[in-house]
Amino acid sequence: VGHPAVTNDGDLIFFSSNNKGGYGKNDIWVVQKEKRNQWSNPMNLGPAINTVGDEMFPFIHSDGTLYFASDGHIGMGGLDIYKSSPDSNLSFTSVINLKYPINSPGDDFGMIIEKGGERGYFSSNRSGGKGGDDIYQFELPPLILTLQGIVTDSKTGVILSNAKVQL
């Protein structure tokens, strides 16, 4: 059992373990606080997250997104970093590879993102580093969107002024 990651409210702990009932070597599991100082039985996050390989180094972002490293999902080589967002039942059903420049042919793992979500860190043994496993920092560029359009009534085609558009 290793790599514990606690949600901001302290009610869930995600961790990596080779517990019986898993899908492979090490899987991602979660326990939920039930009462004061009591926790649920470990629940495996299932086959969307876990593979016959290793799933390790979970990190749960304040927005609920799970980041983890795996060598069992299709990737660039070694451990790659993936993310998944839960549905309302805390089920993780799809996994997204973070690709280059986060992932490399080496081992990439241990993703941590600051609360604001614009800066983070991860570990890697990629070529060009200072030693074995190095810590890398990244910053997300500001996201600027421009939207233009005309809002019309779907039946009559009449242009609607002062319409509120929500994305």
Side-chain angles (χ1 to χ4, degrees), residues 70-72 76-80 104-108:
S70 172
D71 65 4
M76 296 181 68
L79 291 168
D80 276 358
S104 72
D107 290 326
D108 308 294

Side-chain angles (χ1 to χ4, degrees), residues 1-95:
V1 176
H3 317 134
V6 182
T7 56
N8 283 350
D9 61 10
D11 287 344
L12 298 172
I13 300 175
F14 293 82
F15 60 95
S16 180
S17 175
N18 62 353
N19 283 347
K20 288 183 182 178
Y23 291 86
K25 297 175 184 174
N26 287 292
D27 285 1
I28 307 291
W29 299 75
V30 64
V31 291
Q32 185 170 14
K33 186 182 281 185
E34 293 178 332
K35 296 181 196 175
R36 185 176 184 166
N37 297 324
Q38 290 187 352
W39 295 88
S40 69
N41 288 325
M43 181 180 80
N44 187 290
L45 293 190
I49 299 293
N50 296 305
T51 68
V52 297
D54 279 319
E55 280 70 44
M56 302 184 296
F57 304 101
F59 169 74
I60 192 78
H61 190 275
S62 59
D63 69 4
T65 302
L66 173 69
Y67 294 86
F68 65 98
S70 172
D71 65 4
H73 290 280
I74 295 172
M76 296 181 68
L79 291 168
D80 276 358
I81 300 173
Y82 299 83
K83 73 175 185 175
S84 183
S85 297
D87 63 18
S88 58
N89 296 323
L90 194 65
S91 293
F92 294 88
T93 57
S94 64
V95 171

Side-chain angles (χ1 to χ4, degrees), residues 130-145:
K130 302 281 185 193
D133 294 332
D134 296 313
I135 298 173
Y136 292 83
Q137 176 185 336
F138 64 90
E139 293 192 30
L140 298 175
L143 185 59
I144 300 170
L145 300 174

